[in-house]
Amino acid sequence: MLKTEYDVVIVGGSHAGLSAAMALGRMRRSVLICDDSRPRNQISSHANNIAGSDGVSPEKWRQQARHDLEKYKTIQLINATVHKVEKRQLQFHVELSSKEVVHARKIILAHGIQDKLPDVTGFQELWGKSVFHCPYCHGFEVQDQRLGVVGSGAYVEHMLPMILGLSKDVMVFTNGASDLSKDFVTALKKKQIPLIQSPIACLGYEGQKLQFIEFKNHPRIERDALFVGPQLPISMRVNFDKQLGLEKNEMGLYKVAEMGRTNIAGVLAAGDIVTLQQSVVNAVSSGQSAGAWATFELLSEDFHQF
Ligand SMILES: Cc1cc2nc3c(=O)[nH]c(=O)nc-3n(C[C@H](O)[C@H](O)[C@H](O)COP(=O)(O)OP(=O)(O)OC[C@H]3O[C@@H](n4cnc5c(N)ncnc54)[C@H](O)[C@@H]3O)c2cc1C
């Protein structure tokens, strides 16, 4: 049964949202977590680079985190999509997919991002299996294999040296015209790292394993795994920025100050939506900070009210 008033409504109940809730729950604030169960890493069987839980199943991690919250009786979690958040004077009106409306003094946005992959057969199918976004998360598992970096410009220039730390057999695929710097292209030549600029026609695979890349105007190349850059600006499912007047940066992420404070008083943001350093641990950390700041504001406001 929903209440009509909460101290905080959290949009998104995954790494960032559940961590924010824990901080609030431990300080006995009333919290409603709204989550519609579409976390970004749900496609993966293992989540890596998490000290203490390395290789944990993402679903198990979330189940455990939800279980941990059960003892905090001021926290309520519901399966719902938040459609609209509106600020009316000092309160937020939050509209759920069920058409119910709840009110909150603070909002924590922890709704994650939407991955946009090249619109080419194979990328979506192999996402999280042989096509990856992050070498820290999945690079160790494909070390010394035949790897590729797909993208152009700053992403490739940043990512290639890291992927070369995992394997000597790495190629660069720009999937069409590239904007790589002259210096970088010269370095590729010197190091004899192949640069293929042809558009990609499709990825060939068996089961969940990449076999080869088919190009529009280059012979097929065999590869075992690819790392793909994000398509900027980052996409989000609901335009809370427009609804609330939130500022975003040039990458499409919410602009936040320390502790996840946005430009709108009372609205905090955490997790993948505030950084390109997108990982479970970073989301947990920024979620906890947002939860702590919301707690501080709530209790300070109460203290100063006569
Ligand atoms: C394929 C893949 C594999 C990855 N592997 C790793 C790894 O091994 N290690 C690692 O550290 N990181 C990994 N990551 C990154 C990691 O998944 C993210 O950094 C992390 O999930 C971010 O957590 P979050 O809470 O910000 O967002 P998410 O985990 O994406 O959760 C957002 C939640 O908000 C909900 N939501 C969204 N909009 C609404 C709405 N309007 N109303 C209600 N609910 C909403 C969603 O349903 C979802 O449950 C991986 C990412 C991908 C894509």
Side-chain angles (χ1 to χ4, degrees), residues 77-112:
L77 190 151
I78 56 162
N79 194 343
T81 304
V82 175
H83 281 315
K84 196 169 169 195
V85 182
E86 205 181 329
K87 189 170 188 182
R88 293 194 197 157
Q89 290 160 342
L90 293 178
Q91 246 198 355
F92 294 93
H93 290 228
V94 181
E95 200 180 299
L96 309 178
S97 40
S98 57
K99 298 280 176 236
E100 285 165 293
V101 174
V102 294
H103 304 109
R105 290 169 63 188
K106 309 285 171 198
I107 296 290
I108 297 181
L109 299 177
H111 52 74

Side-chain angles (χ1 to χ4, degrees), residues 105-228:
R105 290 169 63 188
K106 309 285 171 198
I107 296 290
I108 297 181
L109 299 177
H111 52 74
I113 66 160
Q114 268 197 305
D115 286 301
K116 287 257 185 287
L117 295 168
D119 189 16
V120 171
T121 303
F123 279 92
Q124 191 63 55
E125 292 83 345
L126 296 175
W127 185 230
K129 316 290 183 200
S130 300
V131 175
F132 304 111
H133 79 301
C134 160
Y136 296 98
C137 301
H138 304 288
F140 190 81
E141 285 67 31
V142 295
Q143 61 183 297
D144 295 325
Q145 296 186 18
R146 297 168 301 178
L147 306 180
V149 179
V150 181
S152 67
Y155 168 78
V156 172
E157 297 192 18
H158 172 81
M159 191 55 75
L160 180 70
M162 298 211 286
I163 304 302
L164 285 168
L166 295 166
S167 172
K168 288 196 179 94
D169 185 353
V170 184
M171 296 183 174
V172 173
F173 306 106
T174 58
N175 192 20
S178 85
D179 53 354
L180 297 171
S181 69
K182 272 192 185 152
D183 284 354
F184 187 76
V185 174
T186 306
L188 289 179
K189 276 190 191 133
K190 278 196 182 144
K191 291 182 181 295
Q192 298 184 321
I193 296 169
L195 167 64
I196 315 299
Q197 306 202 46
S198 163
I200 297 174
C202 70
L203 303 182
Y205 57 96
E206 271 180 36
Q208 298 180 333
K209 189 90 189 66
L210 174 67
Q211 304 289 321
F212 57 84
I213 308 177
E214 200 83 72
F215 297 94
K216 292 203 172 145
N217 40 41
H218 189 281
R220 170 188 291 193
I221 292 178
E222 293 187 350
R223 292 287 93 184
D224 299 309
L226 300 175
F227 290 85
V228 186

